Amino acid sequence: MRRYLRRFTGWRHSAEPDAAMFLRLRSRLTLWYSGVLAGALLLFGITLYLVVQQTVFTSVQSDLMGPLNISISQWQHSIDTNFSPCIPADAGQPQFPRFPSNRFRALYFSACFDTHGTLIQGSAHSDSGQVPTSFIQNALARQALQTTNGRLTDIVNSGSSGPIYRYAVVVHSPQNNGVLGVIQIGESVQPQEATLQILLFVMIFVGVLTL
């Protein structure tokens, strides 16, 4: 009887290290799996957010191209008469075209800058008619004058109007290709930013639940 007890005790002691090693291996595999899953979810979430963000703001830029091209054409073909969208022939308002309505009913803003990046005129195509101070700041226009393609975009916070997507383009003379100035156009992207924030919250929530 004692011999059998000694054999059972020896088997139990020899099995304990194997069980401990198995537990350590399982813990490491679980941590490795969790790390890989978290990394994959993070990479997928970042990629999805950036793709949606790019798609949203590309659509905004596409909406602005129509009125922007009209303003550029007006400026380029009014050199001989000393008339431009920024410097009207009379004391009236700048001759910017009215922008078409959009599904978000966003606020549109326009501004012109001279060859040194100094503001000439700003205009708001909204019910209030007020141009946010952050929109007419000339940092983007000056940077556009220094770039090769003469086009730049950014987003500024305007307070009551929310985030504004700004698109600045350097205008060249059709005669000698000289720089006439910069036309800057912008649209309130508050609904789009709210949608992106909701998407970000949902992705974080799903990631937490998954892990």
Side-chain angles (χ1 to χ4, degrees):
M1 183 67 180
R2 292 179 180 177
R3 183 176 60 183
Y4 288 111
L5 287 175
R6 285 195 300 269
R7 288 182 179 180
F8 176 76
T9 303
W11 175 83
R12 185 183 63 182
H13 287 304
S14 63
E16 287 179 354
D18 295 336
M21 183 178 65
F22 175 76
L23 289 176
R24 289 195 300 269
L25 180 61
R26 186 175 65 177
S27 299
R28 291 177 181 178
L29 289 175
T30 302
L31 290 175
W32 181 84
Y33 170 78
S34 300
V36 171
L37 180 61
L41 287 174
L42 180 62
L43 182 61
F44 173 77
I46 293 176
T47 302
L48 177 62
Y49 182 83
L50 292 177
V51 169
V52 174
Q53 184 185 53
Q54 181 67 25
T55 302
V56 168
F57 291 133
T58 299
S59 177
V60 172
Q61 182 173 326
S62 178
D63 291 340
L64 296 175
M65 286 302 299
L68 179 62
N69 290 331
I70 294 175
S71 297
I72 293 175
S73 179
Q74 284 183 351
W75 199 345
Q76 288 177 332
H77 294 85
S78 60
I79 303 173
D80 297 336
T81 59
N82 294 322
F83 174 86
S84 79
C86 300
I87 308 176
D90 54 17
Q93 293 295 322
Q95 302 298 310
F96 280 107
R98 296 295 298 179
F99 298 151
S101 60
N102 57 82
R103 61 183 181 274
F104 291 114
R105 296 183 179 178
L107 303 177
Y108 288 98
F109 306 96
S110 307
C112 283
F113 302 84
D114 62 17
T115 56
H116 302 289
T118 303
L119 177 68
I120 299 175
Q121 184 74 44
S123 179
H125 302 269
S126 62
D127 295 334
S128 64
Q130 297 180 352
V131 183
T133 304
S134 59
F135 173 76
I136 57 177
Q137 291 177 351
N138 62 355
L140 184 65
R142 288 187 173 182
Q143 293 176 10
L145 287 168
Q146 298 173 358
T147 59
T148 304
N149 62 354
R151 295 173 179 264
L152 277 180
T153 62
D154 70 356
I155 297 177
V156 294
N157 190 6
S158 65
S160 59
S161 299
I164 296 179
Y165 183 90
R166 301 193 303 175
Y167 188 18
V169 177
V170 177
V171 182
H172 295 271
S173 169
Q175 280 80 17
N176 55 17
N177 202 35
V179 176
L180 300 177
V182 178
I183 288 183
Q184 179 174 286
I185 194 169
E187 174 185 331
S188 174
V189 290
Q190 191 168 8
Q192 292 90 330
E193 285 285 352
T195 302
L196 290 174
Q197 290 295 328
I198 294 175
L199 175 62
L200 181 61
F201 174 78
V202 170
M203 289 191 302
I204 294 176
F205 182 74
V206 172
V208 171
L209 288 181
T210 304
L211 295 177

